[in-house]
Each structure stands twice: as C-alpha cells, then as structure tokens.
Amino acid sequence: MSRLAIITGITSQDGSYLAQLLLQKGYRVHGLCRDMEKSRARLASFLGFPVDKITLQETDITDANQMGELIRSLRPDEVYNLAAQSSPARSVQNPRETVLVNAICPLNIMEAIREAALAGTTRFFQASSAEIFTDRAGAPQNEQTPLGPRNPYGASKALAHCLVGSYRASHGLFASSGILYNHESDRRGKQFVTMKIRDAVAEALAGGPCPVTLGNLSARRDWGWAPDYVHGMWLALQAKSPEDFVFATGTAHTVRDFVEAMFRRMGNVTLRWEGRGVEEKGYDTSTGKMMVAVNQEFFRPAEECVMVGDCSKALQTLGWRHTVSFDELIGLM
Ligand code: NAP
C-alpha cells in the first residue's frame, strides 16, 4: 500500500508544491482545507496542478476533536502542518486567530498522534519560520540561535516550535520543524512584498500607476524558490531521527535588488538610484522617468541584523541545498 500523507493548508503555495512532490513519489495525499469549492478552484488555478489526484477534506484544524478523529481513522504515515495565518503584519491586528491557527493546531495534531498511539508510526512536520529568532543574535542564524520573536506571528511559530521539541523529548514523537526563510513562486500570496512588487512592476510597465511605491528599500531578505523548500520538508521526515532544520539560501538581497531585478527582467529597464531612506527614488536610466519611490506609510526601519539562514545542518544531514539562484527566482516568478 502506498504511503499516506496529510497536508494542512493544502491551498497554500507550499501545500500545493508539496502535494505535487508527494504524488510524484507515489504517496496518497489527503489535503485539509476550509472551503472545498474555493480550495478546488484555487488549486485548479495553479498551472498543471493535478486536483483530481488528491483527496480534499473540509476540516476545522483548530478543533482538537476533529483532528483526533481524522488522525485515528486515517492513521497517516506523515503529516505536514503548513496551514497558518502567515502574515506577520496581519498577526499584529489578529493575534488570537494567529495563535489559534499557528500554535494550537500543531498542538492538536501532535496530541492526536500521541492519543492514537501512533508516535512510533506517524511522522510530523511543522512549518516553522525565521521569525522565531531574535534580530539581535547576529547573522547568519542557525538551529542554535536564541528565540526572540517580534510579533504575534513569530511568537505563535516559536510556541509551536518549542512544542515540537517537547513532544519529541517527552513522547518520542517523530516531529521535526523546518525553520523556513522566505521562499517564493508565482503561487505566493498576493499580500507578500515580492508579489506586490512583481504585480506593481508589471502594471507600471503596461502604463499603469508609476512610480511603484514601496517601504524600506534597504530591508534585506533571504529569498529562495518554494519547490526547494518543500523538498526539504519531505527530506526532514525521511531522516534517521527527528530534528529541526534551517532551510535558507544563505544569501540576503535588498528590496531594492528585488525591484531592480524585476524591472530589468520584465521590461529591460535599468534603474539609477538617488536619495536615501524615505527620499530614495529609482529612475529609468534611458528615459529619466521616476519608476520607484518610497511610501512613508510603509517605511519601517531595517532590523538590527540581517535575517539570513545558515543551512549547514540541512546540507550535512539531509543533503539539502537550494537549487535556484536569486536571478533565476526573479525569472520564475
Ligand atoms: P500561505 O500561502 O500563506 O497559505 C496559508 C495556508 O493556511 C492556506 O492554505 C490557508 O487556507 C491556510 N489557513 C489560514 N488560516 C487557516 C485557518 N484558520 N484554518 C485552516 N487553514 C488556514 O502559506 P505559504 O507561504 O505556502 O507557507 C506555508 C507555511 O510555511 C506556513 O505555515 C507559513 O507560515 C510557513 N512559512 C512560509 C514562509 C514563506 O516564505 N512562504 C516562510 C516561513 C514560514 P485558505 O486557502 O483557506 O486561506
């Protein structure tokens, strides 16, 4: 019988890529969602996504009883918990929802595995985040970096991360956290900066609103290609023992680099920068037209240290490394 995997957050960027990877590997994939019709439509909108090959199930993942029943009846080989209120900015406005989905849901799943006496059989992956780390520990960060989240999203992910360690130590669960740095694709949610830049640049080049307005252009991020990261998730559950792993490219780029690369790639436009901070502007070198400006409303001071991951442990233990460079990522988006 082929292996069975449950994915929470099947409609997410990562959930959809992971489902495709697991199907290719011969798994049966059971995807949990909130709304069957919307989820089916969203998945169908992803080019080449085999919607009919996965079993979709509407489930309230924050309900311990529903999760208990699901795990008891399906007895999955692997559970990937990807569902999340995944926006740090939104978490400040919605801390309760964020903690409920991001921390209580993984707790419910691990409890369900334990109560069903499946600790020796069912492996659990938690999508953790670089947002769990303090921004004062220096760069790059690795699995030993002290936790110090700065928003409810980071705090909820930190709690889930600690619970994973606790279930591993106290109940012998095969539970692993992947500490994920930013990863992108054309399936990324529209609310994230990379998609906002991509769409705004496309509009500006097509005669729409110009200049493109952004926050701090000097903010730096470690950006990778989403399919690389879901491959890491799968590898984490195939390891000899459950452990936590940083998944990152190890290289940071600024928002300025990102928007510059998008203009070059989408419109063959080269930018020249003038000014600093909120006064900074990007001009088309051939026409002199202002293409990028800073919106004071979105401007936040840059973090004290660069959030960039050291994935040596994932490389040594799992043989994982990213395969797509920053320039290739821009092209793929
Ligand atoms: P995403 O596209 O933002 O999708 C979030 C998923 O969570 C969606 O499937 C959404 O379902 C589901 N969800 C949200 N609230 C829910 C609720 N109350 N009940 C059930 N499901 C709910 O996520 P992603 O970017 O692929 O990220 C996948 C995971 O990795 C997340 O846990 C995220 O926090 C973590 N992560 C991602 C990154 C990154 O750069 N992408 C970095 C670090 C960590 P609906 O379709 O119903 O809205």
Side-chain angles (χ1 to χ4, degrees):
M1 186 71 144
S2 56
R3 283 188 283 175
L4 173 66
I6 293 180
I7 303 176
T8 73
I10 187 78
T11 54
S12 64
Q13 164 187 264
D14 292 4
S16 63
Y17 280 120
L18 180 63
Q20 284 180 274
L21 178 77
L22 296 180
L23 287 171
Q24 275 164 20
K25 291 188 179 295
Y27 282 71
R28 287 169 293 139
V29 175
H30 203 94
L32 306 189
C33 64
R34 286 194 275 194
D35 180 313
M36 183 75 83
E37 285 319 306
K38 277 194 197 150
S39 301
R40 201 177 283 285
R42 177 163 165 76
L43 291 170
S45 74
F46 298 148
L47 198 65
F49 188 87
V51 187
D52 296 338
K53 295 214 169 85
I54 55 170
T55 307
L56 276 181
Q57 181 172 344
E58 268 180 29
T59 313
D60 180 358
I61 57 171
T62 63
D63 180 332
N65 292 330
Q66 277 193 43
M67 288 312 293
E69 174 52 31
L70 188 85
I71 298 288
R72 261 196 311 281
S73 58
L74 291 179
R75 302 176 66 84
D77 298 284
E78 296 170 10
V79 180
Y80 296 85
N81 181 42
L82 309 186
Q85 191 303 96
S86 61
S87 156
R90 211 177 130 196
S91 75
V92 178
Q93 308 304 325
N94 297 290
R96 279 202 191 89
E97 180 205 349
T98 304
V99 171
L100 184 64
V101 182
N102 297 7
I104 304 303
C105 167
L107 174 62
N108 287 343
I109 299 172
M110 289 188 286
E111 237 340 65
I113 296 173
R114 184 184 75 79
E115 283 175 357
L118 289 170
T121 336
T122 299
R123 298 185 167 197
F124 176 70
F125 177 86
Q126 165 63 13
S128 190
S129 161
E131 293 273 337
I132 65 176
F133 293 138
T134 171
D135 64 348
R136 301 206 173 143
Q141 301 83 37
N142 64 22
E143 294 79 4
Q144 267 70 55
T145 299
L147 305 191
R150 288 148 284 137
N151 52 55
Y153 170 80
S156 64
K157 289 287 186 183
L159 173 55
H161 186 79
C162 294
L163 287 168
V164 165
S166 155
Y167 270 76
R168 203 159 54 208
S170 307
H171 302 298
L173 232 72
F174 194 112
S176 299
S177 278
I179 305 167
L180 309 169
Y181 282 66
N182 290 58
H183 48 282
E184 315 294 319
S185 73
D186 62 357
R187 298 181 187 178
R188 184 81 149 121
K190 298 273 187 204
Q191 70 274 30
F192 294 98
V193 68
T194 46
M195 293 301 266
K196 284 186 179 164
I197 295 175
R198 185 198 71 170
D199 293 348
V201 168
E203 277 184 42
L205 290 169
C210 196
V212 169
T213 58
L214 296 166
N216 192 339
L217 295 168
S218 299
R220 298 178 79 190
R221 291 283 173 275
D222 181 331
W223 278 300
W225 170 236
D228 282 344
Y229 292 65
V230 304
H231 183 224
M233 296 175 190
W234 176 75
L235 286 174
L237 291 199
Q238 315 313 310
K240 280 206 188 88
S241 55
E243 287 177 56
D244 300 330
F245 298 99
V246 163
F247 294 108
T249 71
T251 308
H253 291 270
T254 61
V255 170
R256 187 183 303 103
D257 294 337
F258 199 95
V259 68
E260 197 173 293
M262 270 292 169
F263 266 112
R264 203 170 38 240
R265 172 67 71 146
M266 291 173 94
N268 208 15
V269 169
T270 308
L271 297 179
R272 163 175 57 80
W273 297 98
E274 283 182 20
R276 305 190 71 170
V278 288
E279 301 303 330
E280 186 165 2
K281 295 180 175 49
Y283 298 91
D284 181 336
T285 49
S286 54
T287 63
K289 183 176 175 185
M290 191 201 302
M291 306 303 280
V292 182
V294 173
N295 183 334
Q296 201 152 4
E297 222 182 291
F298 306 147
F299 192 88
R300 306 270 178 284
E303 285 94 359
E304 290 200 16
C305 80
V306 182
M307 298 311 284
V308 60
D310 169 6
C311 64
S312 317
K313 183 179 169 189
L315 177 60
Q316 280 156 18
T317 315
L318 307 174
W320 182 89
R321 57 155 58 91
H322 73 285
T323 64
V324 169
S325 70
F326 179 72
D327 283 334
E328 287 165 341
L329 171 67
I330 298 289
L332 287 164
M333 285 185 71

